[in-house]
C-alpha cells in the first residue's frame, strides 16, 4: 500500500485530488485540512506530523492562502501559510523517506515575457502571494530532495476556491444569469486550468511511481485573456448578454499581477497528455452540470 497524506483536502484542488487518489488501487489516502491542523503554527504542525502522520510515502500540500489581495496586506500571514510550513514538511519527508508534492503558481513570474514561461525561466514575482509561493518552492528544494513542484495557473474546481469565495467560472455564470453587466480584463493573459486535470496528472505520477523529481509546469494548453475566457464560458453555456473588455489599468489597486503568465508545458507533456484550456473548461462544465 502507498500511503498518501493530503493537506488542504477541502480546497478546490484538494477535493479533486482526494477523489482521484481514492480511485487508485493500493493507495491509502489520509486527508486533512484547517480543522485538523493550522499551518500557520509551526509547533502544532510538527507535532501533528509526528503524532497523526507517522511513516508516509507522499505528503501532498494543497494548503495555501490563495487570496492574492489579502496576501498583499498580510505579508507575515502569507509567508506563515504559503512558505514556512514547506520547510517543516520537507524536513519531515526527508526524515521518514517520503516524497513531497507542492503546488506553486504562474505568479512566480513577472509577466514581462511574451512567450510561455518554461521551468528554466528565472522567477521574479511582483506581488506578495507570488513571493511567498516562490519561498515555499525554495524551502521544498532545500529540505527535501525527492520532491515534485507543480506550477499551475488560474485554477477552477468543483469545490470552488474557498479562500476566494468561489471560482471565476461560477462567478461569471452567476452574474450573467442575474443579467449583471460583465466587464472583464482583456490585458492579462494566462492559461485557465481545471483542478480535475491537475489531479489526473498527480495521480498519474503517483500510480506510476515516477521518480523524475523536480519542477513541472502544468496548465491548460494555449492562452487567453480573462475577457476571452469569459466569452468562451458564455458561449459553452449558451448564455447571451453583453461582455465588455476593460484594462486592468482601470482598476487601481496596490496588487500587481503579471500581464502575461502562460506556462510552457513542453516538459510535462513528455509524461502526460496536456489538453487545451478549452477542453479543461468543457469537461469542468459537464462535471458541474452546466452543460450536458
Ligand atoms: N486558485 C488558483 O487560481 C491557483 C493558481 C495557481 C496556483 N494555485 C495553488 O494551487 C494550490 C491549491 O489552490 P486551491 O485553489 O485549491 O486553494 P483553495 O481552494 O483556497 O484551498 C486552500 C486550502 O488551504 C486551507 N488553508 C488555508 N490556510 C490554512 C491554514 N492556516 N491551515 C490549514 N489549512 C489552511 C484552506 O482552508 P480554509 O478554507 O479553511 O481557509 C483550503 O482548504 C495552492 O498551493 C495554490 O497556491 C492556485
Amino acid at each position: 500500500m502507498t500511503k498518501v497524506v493530503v493537506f488542504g483536502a477541502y480546497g478546490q484542488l484538494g477535493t479533486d485530488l482526494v477523489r482521484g487518489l481514492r480511485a487508485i488501487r493500493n493507495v491509502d489516502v489520509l486527508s486533512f485540512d484547517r480543522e485538523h491542523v493550522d499551518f500557520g503554527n509551526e509547533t502544532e504542525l510538527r507535532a501533528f506530523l509526528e503524532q497523526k502522520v507517522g511513516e508516509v510515502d507522499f505528503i501532498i500540500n494543497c494548503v495555501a492562502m490563495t487570496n492574492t489581495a489579502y496576501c498583499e496586506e498580510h505579508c507575515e500571514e502569507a509567508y506563515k501559510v504559503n512558505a514556512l510550513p514547506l520547510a517543516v514538511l520537507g524536513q519531515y519527508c526527508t526524515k521518514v523517506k517520503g516524497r513531497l508534492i507542492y503546488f506553486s503558481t504562474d505568479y512566480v513570474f513577472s509577466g514581462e515575457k511574451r512567450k510561455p514561461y518554461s521551468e528554466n525561466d528565472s522567477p521574479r514575482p511582483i506581488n506578495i502571494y507570488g513571493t511567498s509561493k516562490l519561498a515555499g518552492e525554495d524551502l521544498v528544494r532545500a529540505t527535501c530532495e525527492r520532491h515534485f513542484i507543480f506550477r499551475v495557473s488560474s485554477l477552477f474546481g468543483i469545490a470552488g476556491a474557498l479562500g476566494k469565495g468561489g471560482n471565476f467560472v461560477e462567478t461569471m455564470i452567476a452574474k450573467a444569469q442575474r443579467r449583471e453587466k460583465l466587464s472583464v480584463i482583456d490585458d492579462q493573459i494566462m492559461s485557465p486550468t481545471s483542478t480535475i486535470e491537475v489531479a489526473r496528472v498527480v495521480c498519474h505520477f503517483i500510480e506510476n511511481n515516477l521518480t523524475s523529481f523536480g519542477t513541472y509546469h502544468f496548465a491548460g494548453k494555449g492562452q487567453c485573456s480573462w475577457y476571452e475566457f469569459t466569452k468562451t464560458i458564455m458561449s459553452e453555456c449558451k448564455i447571451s448578454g453583453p461582455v465588455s473588455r476593460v484594462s486592468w489599468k482601470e482598476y487601481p489597486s496596490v496588487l500587481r499581477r503579471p500581464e502575461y503568465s502562460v506556462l510552457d508545458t513542453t516538459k510535462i507533456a513528455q509524461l502526460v497528455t496536456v489538453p487545451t484550456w478549452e477542453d479543461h473548461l468543457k469537461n469542468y462544465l459537464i462535471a458541474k452540470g452546466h452543460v450536458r
Side-chain angles (χ1 to χ4, degrees), residues 64 66-67 160-166:
T66 52
N67 187 326
L162 301 171
K164 293 179 184 165

Side-chain angles (χ1 to χ4, degrees), residues 24-254:
I24 307 177
R25 276 181 34 190
N26 299 327
V27 168
D28 180 23
V29 190
L30 293 182
S31 56
F32 301 112
D33 213 292
R34 190 197 287 275
E35 67 184 38
H36 304 99
V37 56
D38 176 8
F39 263 46
N41 183 330
E42 179 176 339
T43 313
E44 198 186 308
L45 179 58
R46 284 193 191 278
F48 188 89
L49 290 167
E50 296 292 344
Q51 290 157 21
K52 305 279 185 202
V53 172
E55 295 294 312
V56 65
D57 296 298
F58 285 94
I59 289 184
I60 307 183
N61 180 38
C62 298
V63 168
M65 189 178 281
T66 52
N67 187 326
T68 43
Y70 184 88
C71 287
E72 208 61 19
E73 293 181 348
H74 301 83
C75 311
E76 188 181 344
E77 223 183 305
Y79 271 73
K80 270 189 164 175
V81 177
N82 290 344
L84 301 179
L86 276 307
V88 177
L89 296 181
Q91 289 167 347
Y92 186 78
C93 281
T94 298
K95 189 176 94 173
V96 299
K97 299 189 170 47
R99 284 155 276 183
L100 178 59
I101 296 181
Y102 174 63
F103 298 98
S104 186
T105 168
D106 53 329
Y107 275 29
V108 298
F109 295 112
S110 66
E112 282 157 347
K113 203 179 163 191
R114 285 298 182 268
K115 277 191 193 157
Y117 282 96
S118 86
E119 291 82 354
N120 296 326
D121 284 312
S122 300
R124 193 175 71 73
I126 56 171
N127 59 37
I128 299 300
Y129 171 73
T131 54
S132 68
K133 295 295 295 182
L134 182 59
E137 288 189 11
D138 288 340
L139 289 168
V140 170
R141 293 189 190 103
T143 55
C144 179
E145 219 168 285
R146 299 199 307 162
H147 67 259
F148 293 109
I149 295 171
F150 294 104
R151 290 192 186 129
V152 296
S153 104
S154 312
L155 295 183
F156 48 95
I158 306 283
L162 301 171
K164 293 179 184 165
N167 72 39
F168 182 83
V169 180
E170 296 304 320
T171 304
M172 289 300 120
I173 293 173
K175 281 190 171 193
Q177 284 170 339
R178 289 196 300 267
R179 305 205 170 278
E180 280 178 36
K181 188 171 171 272
L182 295 183
S183 303
V184 189
I185 289 171
D186 195 31
D187 49 5
Q188 278 168 355
I189 310 296
M190 44 81 212
S191 309
T193 307
S194 158
T195 54
I196 304 170
E197 291 297 330
V198 180
R200 175 182 61 79
V201 167
V202 175
C203 288
H204 177 87
F205 272 62
I206 291 177
E207 197 171 8
N208 294 286
N209 200 21
L210 299 191
T211 52
S212 43
F213 299 112
T215 303
Y216 291 88
H217 288 179
F218 180 76
K221 195 171 180 179
Q223 63 182 55
C224 62
S225 71
W226 292 100
Y227 166 82
E228 289 161 339
F229 186 33
T230 306
K231 291 288 281 181
T232 310
I233 296 166
M234 297 302 126
S235 124
E236 287 294 330
C237 295
K238 303 200 172 21
I239 305 173
S240 55
V243 182
S244 58
R245 318 163 182 256
V246 289
S247 165
W248 64 266
K249 295 177 187 104
E250 290 170 45
Y251 289 92
S253 161
V254 285

Side-chain angles (χ1 to χ4, degrees), residues 237-272:
C237 295
K238 303 200 172 21
I239 305 173
S240 55
V243 182
S244 58
R245 318 163 182 256
V246 289
S247 165
W248 64 266
K249 295 177 187 104
E250 290 170 45
Y251 289 92
S253 161
V254 285
L255 175 69
R256 293 165 67 212
R257 297 173 193 272
E259 283 182 32
Y260 183 93
S261 62
V262 177
L263 296 176
D264 180 341
T265 53
T266 309
K267 181 179 172 188
I268 206 164
Q270 291 161 11
L271 302 170
V272 294

